[in-house]
Amino acid sequence: MSREEVDRALERFDAEHEAVESSLLALQDHAGRRLLEGAELTGVTADRWARAEQAVTLLWNGFETYTSRLELARELRSKRRWPSRDDLTELTRLLRGTLTVSGADLAGAAPGAGGTHQLVEELTLPQLVSRMNDWYAQALDVVAAADSVWSALPARIDMLSAELRRIRSLAHSVGVRPGEHPAGDDLERTTQDLTDLRAEVLTDPLAFWSRTGGSSAPGGGRPDTTRYDTSARALEDVRREIEAVLTVRQDAEQRLMRLRDVLSRADRTLAEARSARGEVLAKIAASEVPAVSGPPAALHEQLTTAAEHRRHSRWHLLSPLLENLEQRSEEELERARAELTAVTAPLAVRAELRGRLDAYKAKAAQHGFAEDRFLAERYDVARRLLWSAPCDLRAADHAVQRYQQAVQDSLAARRSEGTPLAEGRGER
């Protein structure tokens, strides 16, 4: 090598030495490395950290060998401004020759690779720098991945565990317990899942590391939160269930009062329907009157049970019972109203016929037919039928139609004669 080549090589190797030294010191101070050294590791992490520790040991040994060779070359070069031919020969050997590295490929092999590892290996300085970069990347990959998982998951698990304890306290206050309510079982299962998850994350963080596809950079990936997310969703479902039960506890008395009111109205409507049915049977002849059902005894029993649940703070049992009662009580009230409408239909028909008869009588009087004997006879027939008991609705309807037609005929006749309707008098 010429003097210029020696100087350029030394400058390049000095820069590489500084970079490797900085990386080593950064790795030594990395929080993830300190955590790994002090943790009781298992599974994937224990296996990979064992290889990473070998890589770190080889990295330091290689760095010391590299430093020693570089210091010899610097010392020799610094003796003379213009090195002799013997100096250049020695510098060429130091900078371009090989040096012995112990166990150079022990940790440099890919994880799980087979084959026999060499105890020593002859490498040039550039080859040693490349090998040190490989060892550093291998160690940093484990350290950075473990640190990322430990930075992300335990804190989130602890926050979720705190929320879980709050929800457990609420669940206990409303009687939601394992073996008595599904939400209690879910809460117990989620508690165990989070406990197991935290223990596994602390001892085997790399089991929760998902490498980003295509990335070969050390620590390239992200924490796998699948199990955490599953527990978080399960806890959210339990929280909604507990809040629903809490809402029941707060509104139970008002909801029970509304239920009593609805069922009371249904009972009164059915009683009115039964009374109306007797009236219809007495006053209306030849009419099919449907039977009226009895009061909703089953709903009243369930309402009593709901009141007992509230009295004894069995909110988890009260919640679904109230929802069912609210739906069925409204249906019962609608059914009672429908029965009342069906029973009183004949009375409504009679009332409509009476109203129509009186309306046409008033119309006839308005146009001067109040004293018309023919219309009066037809009116009397219809009126006797409508105001007699029992009333024959078919005959009464026919009589009202006859009277209605007679009035219309009289009005039409008056128009055809050209006589003003209001002045007409006379008899038919």
Side-chain angles (χ1 to χ4, degrees):
M1 299 175 65
S2 66
R3 180 177 65 87
E4 291 79 8
E5 289 176 327
V6 168
D7 289 343
R8 286 196 298 270
L10 282 172
E11 183 179 359
R12 183 175 72 255
F13 289 139
D14 281 342
E16 290 177 345
H17 179 272
E18 183 178 353
V20 171
E21 185 178 33
S22 298
S23 298
L24 272 171
L25 293 175
L27 181 62
Q28 191 71 14
D29 293 335
H30 199 290
R33 185 197 62 79
R34 292 196 297 271
L35 289 173
L36 283 166
E37 286 185 345
E40 295 182 4
L41 302 176
T42 61
V44 177
T45 307
D47 181 56
R48 290 189 60 190
W49 176 236
R51 295 199 300 271
E53 283 188 306
Q54 290 179 326
V56 171
T57 300
L58 291 173
L59 179 56
W60 278 107
N61 291 339
F63 180 69
E64 290 174 0
T65 302
Y66 183 92
T67 302
S68 298
R69 175 62 66 90
L70 193 58
E71 286 178 350
L72 288 175
R74 286 174 184 158
E75 183 181 356
L76 179 58
R77 177 65 186 88
S78 64
K79 288 181 178 180
R80 299 181 183 84
R81 180 178 181 183
W82 301 99
S84 66
R85 183 175 181 83
D86 291 339
D87 291 341
L88 290 175
T89 300
E90 180 62 14
L91 284 170
T92 301
R93 184 189 70 80
L94 291 173
L95 297 177
R96 288 186 174 177
T98 62
L99 61 167
T100 302
V101 179
S102 301
D105 67 343
L106 182 61
T116 303
H117 298 303
Q118 294 176 263
L119 296 178
V120 294
E121 187 175 5
E122 297 294 325
L123 299 174
T124 63
L125 286 177
Q127 289 173 335
L128 180 56
V129 170
S130 176
R131 188 61 58 84
M132 286 192 294
N133 286 336
D134 292 341
W135 292 329
Y136 173 76
Q138 181 180 349
L140 183 62
D141 186 49
V142 174
V143 169
D147 185 55
S148 295
V149 173
W150 279 334
S151 298
L153 277 175
R156 295 172 68 180
I157 293 171
D158 289 343
M159 291 178 63
L160 194 61
S161 297
E163 174 68 4
L164 186 145
R165 288 191 293 272
R166 184 187 73 84
I167 293 175
R168 283 176 68 93
S169 178
L170 288 177
H172 183 77
S173 70
V174 295
V176 175
R177 296 179 176 86
E180 298 179 7
H181 193 281
D185 297 333
D186 293 340
L187 197 58
E188 194 72 12
R189 184 164 48 252
T190 302
T191 301
Q192 188 61 50
D193 289 345
L194 280 178
T195 301
D196 295 342
L197 178 61
R198 194 180 194 283
E200 292 176 32
V201 166
L202 292 179
T203 60
D204 192 9
L206 296 187
F208 300 89
W209 180 253
S210 177
R211 184 172 295 280
T212 303
S215 174
S216 58
R222 60 179 180 80
D224 183 356
T225 62
T226 302
R227 285 177 57 183
Y228 168 85
D229 295 338
T230 300
S231 295
R233 286 193 298 269
L235 186 59
E236 177 63 17
D237 292 340
V238 172
R239 184 191 64 78
R240 285 197 293 266
E241 179 68 22
I242 300 303
E243 288 183 351
V245 175
L246 283 171
T247 302
V248 170
R249 183 175 68 174
Q250 295 167 358
D251 302 337
E253 183 58 29
Q254 292 183 357
R255 292 173 72 180
L256 285 171
M257 290 177 62
R258 286 196 297 268
L259 279 170
R260 293 188 187 99
D261 179 63
V262 171
L263 289 178
S264 177
R265 282 187 287 160
D267 290 343
R268 291 196 301 270
T269 303
L270 288 174
E272 184 181 351
R274 284 190 290 272
S275 175
R277 186 173 188 274
E279 181 182 356
V280 169
L281 291 174
K283 295 181 177 181
I284 307 297
S287 178
E288 294 293 333
V289 184
V292 179
S293 62
L299 293 184
H300 283 286
E301 291 177 1
Q302 290 181 353
L303 185 59
T304 301
T305 302
E308 286 294 317
H309 288 335
R310 179 188 177 278
R311 188 174 302 112
H312 296 288
S313 300
R314 294 191 290 260
W315 310 112
H316 61 292
L317 298 177
L318 180 59
S319 176
L321 182 57
L322 281 179
E323 292 179 4
N324 180 56
L325 276 173
E326 285 168 343
Q327 179 181 352
R328 293 182 60 192
S329 62
E330 290 293 340
E331 293 173 352
E332 181 63 25
L333 180 58
E334 291 300 319
R335 184 182 66 83
R337 288 170 175 169
E339 290 194 17
L340 177 61
T341 300
V343 165
T344 57
L347 293 177
V349 171
R350 187 184 68 173
E352 190 273 332
L353 290 174
R354 286 178 174 181
R356 197 193 321 166
L357 181 65
D358 289 341
Y360 270 92
K361 180 184 180 184
K363 185 175 183 179
Q366 180 184 358
H367 293 294
F369 294 102
E371 304 299 329
D372 189 301
R373 192 181 309 164
F374 177 75
L375 293 179
E377 290 175 355
R378 295 222 166 168
Y379 173 80
D380 289 340
V381 170
R383 191 178 190 286
R384 281 195 303 272
L385 289 171
L386 286 171
W387 267 266
S388 62
C391 172
D392 187 338
L393 285 181
R394 293 186 181 88
D397 182 49
H398 181 65
V400 170
Q401 289 184 24
R402 288 178 63 199
Y403 176 69
Q404 178 182 339
Q405 188 62 46
V407 172
Q408 291 174 346
D409 291 345
S410 297
L411 294 176
R414 180 65 57 81
R415 292 190 190 95
S416 65
E417 294 172 359
T419 305
L421 293 178
E423 297 178 2
R425 296 291 186 274
E427 299 178 357
R428 292 286 302 273

